[in-house]
Amino acid sequence: MKLSIIIPAYNVEQYLERCITSCEHQDIPQEEYEVIIVDDGSKDNTLQVARRLTQEYPNLVVFSQENGGSSKARNTGLKDAKGNYIWFVDADDYIYENCIGRVLSICEENDLDICHFSLSKMKQDGTVEKLHHNSPNNVLLKGRDILLQNADDVVRSACANFYKSKFLDDYQISFTEGITQQDVELNGRAFAVAQRCMFVDDSMYVYVFNCESIRGSNDINKRKKYAGDSARILALRRIFYTERVNDKELQTYFDRFANSCIAGTIRNMIRANVNKEILDEFVNVAKENQLYPIKGKTLSKKWNLITFVVNKPALWFLLKFI
């Protein structure tokens, strides 16, 4: 089987059929790919919708588990996936019709570990905008070289990549459970060890704006969790680079990248007058993981200077002006 599309689903009965239908209207035979739905303990009719659609689509597989979050649901799908390549799709989004064939062929012809493509975003007003990446298209690259170019856009969404199954297995790469921003965390590891990567300009995926996302939530506890996880992810990535990646240049780059992220996040929170509980959560998690106070250089001379102020809470009021 060529491809497994893995869709975690939690309380998405109003979106799921649109997502599944878009995955089934493709330009490769159904017997060449599978669509795996992992119901994550939904309390609405998500599971019933998925099971009903198995009668229409023979390549649709449905699993159900107790609620454990999207990372756990994705990992459940990974364990049973039969495809040579993996695509993670979110149930409230959808993909373009007849988009899979060309990109899958590129993956196979170039034996890619990761193929990164463009996303489109549906705004609140219903318009769809294509998001562009900054790296050259149709050029074979090593993942570590992509990271060294500070191509931050590639690590944001797992939905923008095809991953080779054997590559994920060989490096034991799966989603870290219990954290937000799990795509960023996984991609930070995956690209560090991927030897054969390629960007294509195809827009395959439509991300639908969700006003209930954790990042945009007004819930103080959700925002604290998001802030703390931002620091945890940097710590997890540092551990992976230290223990699993024998690449001093990449390790040095990441240390400076992490320092820049810590300094930038604190400055941005101060300038935005973020709730003190959220700021404290970020700083405390950074301290617990020895990311703060910041030690060493950042990615630029400007941030090296700003770090001096960031490291001294008594001077944080100055961050509003620099």
Side-chain angles (χ1 to χ4, degrees), residues 234 255-271 279 282-283 286 291-300 302-311 316 319 322:
L234 291 172
D255 286 341
R256 295 183 178 186
F257 173 83
N259 287 342
S260 299
C261 288
I262 296 296
T265 300
I266 291 174
R267 188 187 76 154
N268 290 343
M269 286 184 173
I270 294 294
R271 296 181 78 169
L279 174 60
F282 177 80
V283 172
L291 292 168
Y292 183 85
I294 298 167
K295 299 176 182 177
K297 296 181 179 180
T298 66
L299 291 177
S300 71
K302 172 186 174 181
W303 282 102
N304 289 340
L305 294 173
I306 292 175
T307 294
F308 174 80
V309 177
V310 169
N311 277 342
W316 280 1
L319 294 174
I322 58 176

Side-chain angles (χ1 to χ4, degrees), residues 15 35 39 41 96 119 130 191-192 223 229 246 299 309:
Y15 306 115
V35 180
D39 176 68
Y96 287 113
L119 296 179
K130 182 178 178 180
F191 276 93
R223 294 181 66 193
D229 283 348
N246 185 24
L299 291 177
V309 177

Side-chain angles (χ1 to χ4, degrees), residues 182-252:
Q182 61 264 27
D183 291 24
V184 174
E185 198 278 324
L186 178 135
N187 279 328
R189 289 181 285 128
F191 276 93
V193 292
Q195 298 300 305
R196 301 181 66 82
C197 302
M198 188 173 288
F199 290 72
V200 296
D201 197 38
D202 299 55
S203 184
M204 302 176 63
Y205 188 100
V206 180
Y207 164 74
V208 181
F209 176 83
N210 183 358
C211 61
E212 296 179 356
S213 67
I214 291 178
R215 187 175 186 179
S217 174
N218 290 321
D219 185 304
I220 185 68
N221 291 321
K222 288 183 178 181
R223 294 181 66 193
K224 285 173 62 177
K225 171 68 172 168
Y226 188 94
D229 283 348
S230 296
R232 289 185 186 93
I233 287 168
L234 291 172
L236 289 168
R237 196 165 159 188
R238 182 180 60 184
I239 291 170
F240 183 83
Y241 285 15
T242 301
E243 296 180 353
R244 301 281 302 280
V245 182
N246 185 24
D247 188 327
K248 293 298 183 183
E249 183 181 11
L250 185 59
Q251 291 170 0
T252 298

Side-chain angles (χ1 to χ4, degrees), residues 228 231 262 281-293:
I262 296 296
E281 180 71 11
F282 177 80
V283 172
N284 288 336
V285 174
K287 285 180 178 178
E288 290 169 7
N289 289 280
Q290 299 180 339
L291 292 168
Y292 183 85

Side-chain angles (χ1 to χ4, degrees), residues 6 65 72 80 160 267 313 316:
I6 298 173
Q65 65 181 30
K72 185 174 182 178
D80 289 278
R267 188 187 76 154
W316 280 1

